Amino acid sequence: MPKFGITVLEQKPGVAAAEDGAVILDGPNGVAVAMTGEAAVETGRRLVAAGEEAMRQRGDAD
């Protein structure tokens, strides 16, 4: 279990959409984040890297 005091891990992915030149990321429980396209692209890269590492840690990766 993560060290952040999280007891439940979300299993549904967030939904991202481009609106009026911004990227909106809608997550679970009403969480929403608006960011620039540049910030969204870098966030996406970081999410992929962290997701792949988390799967490796659990032994889920190839």
Side-chain angles (χ1 to χ4, degrees):
M1 189 58 58
K3 300 175 188 175
F4 303 108
I6 299 169
T7 58
V8 177
L9 297 176
E10 183 59 47
Q11 294 184 5
K12 296 179 184 175
V15 176
E19 297 180 12
D20 298 322
V23 174
I24 311 300
L25 176 60
D26 288 322
N29 301 318
V31 173
V33 177
M35 58 187 82
T36 64
E38 294 84 358
V41 167
E42 183 59 27
T43 298
R45 288 183 184 123
R46 293 175 183 186
L47 281 168
V48 168
E52 289 172 344
E53 177 61 22
M55 289 188 304
R56 274 192 292 279
Q57 291 172 1
R58 290 193 332 242
D60 293 351
D62 296 322

